[in-house]
Amino acid sequence: MSSDLSVVILAAGQGTRMRSALPKVLHAVGGKPMLQHVIEAARGLSAREIHVVYGHGGEMVRSALASQPVQWVEQAEQLGTGHAVSQAMPAIPDHHTVMVLYGDVPLITVETLRRLAEIAKQGLGLLTTHLPEPQGYGRIVRDDTGRVLSIVEEKDATEAQRRIQEVNTGMLATGAARLRRWLDSLDNDNAQGEYYLTDVIARAVQEGVTVETTHPGAVAEVMGVNNRVQLAALERDYQRRRSEALMLAGVTLLDPERFDLRGELEAGQDVVIDVNVVIEGRVSLGDGVHVGPNCYLRDVTVARGTRINSHCVLEQAEIGAECRIGPFARVRPETQLADRVHIGNFVEIKKSQVAEGSKVNHLSYVGDSTVGRGVNIGAGVITCNYDGANKHRTVIGDDAFIGSDSQLVAPVEIGAGATIGAGSTITRDTPAGELTLARAKQKTVQGWSRPVKKRE
Ligand code: UD1
Ligand code: CA
């Protein structure tokens, strides 16, 4: 079945009501363009070919999704859903099953589509749902025995037909040869002057082809996005589903309504995530990791038992086990922290490796640095890694102690076990095991008196 499936995704509509420079199907749900969600659902079905019918903002859509394994089909003029599907038909062989999906209906699941593919084997499969307020949708017209006769669009419907609550989701599947024949026979003699895909239902009935229906697991699966209010509603639904899956897998979310996952999260046992945490890209949290409130994590790996306190931003980093990060720490790309490292408040660390047990606890900038084990970097230490043109590295040996408010002007190397006196500006390598100071000597000016304010 699946190996002979061609999916056609309609994505040519302009989406005027989004009021956006971005084509509608590129607006994101869960951090991913809506169209990509649909492509991934189609891939989940192991479709042999996926055709995306694009129109408005086509170049933007194509370049945003250039890495996706799809065939791009242009629909230069939007003459209706039937016309849109026709554009893809020349590339689809007769023996394939064709399934039609929509680039602005992102939450459709593979399970629902499998059922649709299954019923299509009998003739034509149609995905329908019941809505208490069916306004705007095509209605499913059935005979007395419950057999589907046709779909009638709201604008072409009679009073009685408008009361029907079973609506067309738009998604359907059937054999390519007959679909081609039916599409070729469509006209645009209707209220909207469009070639309606929905008219193929009546064609199927005329030819005695069985029309079977199935329904989505949840209504949100078939909800389309026309404006940003609907986009936000789908985003919430999507987040709720992902949160539930995480909680059922053993993650504590202190408030699932205040957690956003815009990517993939792999979590060990007894991970706790406090409120207002945003996760993007690929994040992995080991057993017992605790993420405090108001943190942002993108593409990070955090090993077992590490605690990330509130208000931290971590991007493209690898954090070892039993570390303490934050509050208010920023861990920037290409940083690796080994086990039991402490990164404290108002510390920024970039493109650096910090070995086991080292501490940078207060108000520091550590960039382009290699820090050994057991190092203590005092408050306010800055690695001066940039000379205005190039970046240079700072190397700090094991067990070194860098006194508070020191500057390490790179390239520079601090020997193992070295101590740097507070307030030093270090411009040359310092020997291992010795105290190095680089600051003005303290003096006391005898008899000095404070200035006094002059009288007018
Ligand atoms: C369509 C269905 C209706 C169904 C509803 C579900 C038809 C005639 N009607 O109506 O029965 O209840 O969807 O939402 O099919 N598109 C193109 N090219 C076109 C026209 C549309 O790519 O020439 C795309 C749009 O971008 C959109 C989708 O097809 O993603 C549906 O088009 P739209 O005009 O919104 O159809 P509806 O009137 O909502
Ligand atoms: Ca629509």
mmCIF file of all heavy atoms in Angstrom, residues 17 24 102 104-105 136-137 224-226, ligand 2:
data_model
loop_
_atom_site.group_PDB
_atom_site.id
_atom_site.type_symbol
_atom_site.label_atom_id
_atom_site.label_comp_id
_atom_site.label_asym_id
_atom_site.label_seq_id
_atom_site.Cartn_x
_atom_site.Cartn_y
_atom_site.Cartn_z
ATOM 1 N N ARG A 17 -5.368 36.638 5.362
ATOM 2 C CA ARG A 17 -5.800 36.990 6.717
ATOM 3 C C ARG A 17 -4.709 36.844 7.767
ATOM 4 O O ARG A 17 -4.871 37.248 8.910
ATOM 5 C CB ARG A 17 -7.045 36.160 7.095
ATOM 6 C CG ARG A 17 -8.302 36.690 6.425
ATOM 7 C CD ARG A 17 -9.459 35.745 6.625
ATOM 8 N NE ARG A 17 -9.335 34.552 5.789
ATOM 9 C CZ ARG A 17 -10.097 33.479 5.913
ATOM 10 N NH1 ARG A 17 -11.019 33.422 6.857
ATOM 11 N NH2 ARG A 17 -9.944 32.452 5.103
ATOM 12 N N LYS A 24 1.749 31.889 4.419
ATOM 13 C CA LYS A 24 1.049 31.273 5.556
ATOM 14 C C LYS A 24 1.670 29.957 6.003
ATOM 15 O O LYS A 24 1.871 29.731 7.204
ATOM 16 C CB LYS A 24 -0.425 31.063 5.195
ATOM 17 C CG LYS A 24 -1.193 30.315 6.264
ATOM 18 C CD LYS A 24 -2.683 30.470 6.147
ATOM 19 C CE LYS A 24 -3.271 29.626 5.052
ATOM 20 N NZ LYS A 24 -4.757 29.663 5.106
ATOM 21 N N TYR A 102 -3.143 19.298 3.317
ATOM 22 C CA TYR A 102 -3.140 20.761 3.249
ATOM 23 C C TYR A 102 -1.997 21.338 4.083
ATOM 24 O O TYR A 102 -1.820 20.965 5.243
ATOM 25 C CB TYR A 102 -4.498 21.308 3.738
ATOM 26 C CG TYR A 102 -5.603 20.827 2.829
ATOM 27 C CD1 TYR A 102 -6.154 19.556 2.981
ATOM 28 C CD2 TYR A 102 -6.040 21.610 1.763
ATOM 29 C CE1 TYR A 102 -7.119 19.075 2.108
ATOM 30 C CE2 TYR A 102 -7.003 21.145 0.877
ATOM 31 C CZ TYR A 102 -7.536 19.869 1.054
ATOM 32 O OH TYR A 102 -8.470 19.401 0.175
ATOM 33 N N ASP A 104 -1.736 24.098 5.449
ATOM 34 C CA ASP A 104 -2.153 24.940 6.577
ATOM 35 C C ASP A 104 -3.013 24.162 7.575
ATOM 36 O O ASP A 104 -3.723 24.746 8.374
ATOM 37 C CB ASP A 104 -2.889 26.188 6.081
ATOM 38 C CG ASP A 104 -4.107 25.861 5.229
ATOM 39 O OD1 ASP A 104 -4.359 24.666 4.979
ATOM 40 O OD2 ASP A 104 -4.809 26.807 4.803
ATOM 41 N N VAL A 105 -2.924 22.833 7.507
ATOM 42 C CA VAL A 105 -3.615 21.976 8.492
ATOM 43 C C VAL A 105 -2.523 21.097 9.110
ATOM 44 O O VAL A 105 -2.333 19.940 8.720
ATOM 45 C CB VAL A 105 -4.721 21.130 7.817
ATOM 46 C CG1 VAL A 105 -5.496 20.318 8.853
ATOM 47 C CG2 VAL A 105 -5.684 22.031 7.039
ATOM 48 N N GLY A 136 -18.926 27.561 6.919
ATOM 49 C CA GLY A 136 -17.719 27.756 6.124
ATOM 50 C C GLY A 136 -17.178 26.468 5.514
ATOM 51 O O GLY A 136 -16.345 26.511 4.604
ATOM 52 N N TYR A 137 -17.620 25.345 6.008
ATOM 53 C CA TYR A 137 -17.115 24.069 5.506
ATOM 54 C C TYR A 137 -18.035 23.458 4.448
ATOM 55 O O TYR A 137 -19.239 23.720 4.440
ATOM 56 C CB TYR A 137 -16.997 23.061 6.653
ATOM 57 C CG TYR A 137 -15.877 23.372 7.611
ATOM 58 C CD1 TYR A 137 -16.094 24.236 8.680
ATOM 59 C CD2 TYR A 137 -14.616 22.819 7.438
ATOM 60 C CE1 TYR A 137 -15.069 24.538 9.568
ATOM 61 C CE2 TYR A 137 -13.589 23.116 8.314
ATOM 62 C CZ TYR A 137 -13.817 23.973 9.379
ATOM 63 O OH TYR A 137 -12.809 24.266 10.247
ATOM 64 N N GLY A 224 -7.638 24.054 10.263
ATOM 65 C CA GLY A 224 -6.738 24.846 9.429
ATOM 66 C C GLY A 224 -6.465 26.184 10.080
ATOM 67 O O GLY A 224 -7.120 26.585 11.033
ATOM 68 N N VAL A 225 -5.455 26.850 9.552
ATOM 69 C CA VAL A 225 -5.076 28.157 10.082
ATOM 70 C C VAL A 225 -5.332 29.215 9.012
ATOM 71 O O VAL A 225 -4.770 29.134 7.907
ATOM 72 C CB VAL A 225 -3.581 28.159 10.482
ATOM 73 C CG1 VAL A 225 -3.102 29.566 10.782
ATOM 74 C CG2 VAL A 225 -3.363 27.249 11.679
ATOM 75 N N ASN A 226 -6.167 30.170 9.334
ATOM 76 C CA ASN A 226 -6.401 31.284 8.419
ATOM 77 C C ASN A 226 -5.906 32.604 8.979
ATOM 78 O O ASN A 226 -5.660 33.542 8.243
ATOM 79 C CB ASN A 226 -7.898 31.411 8.102
ATOM 80 C CG ASN A 226 -8.377 30.233 7.278
ATOM 81 O OD1 ASN A 226 -7.792 29.896 6.258
ATOM 82 N ND2 ASN A 226 -9.426 29.584 7.750
HETATM 83 CA CA CA B 2 -10.061 27.052 4.145
#
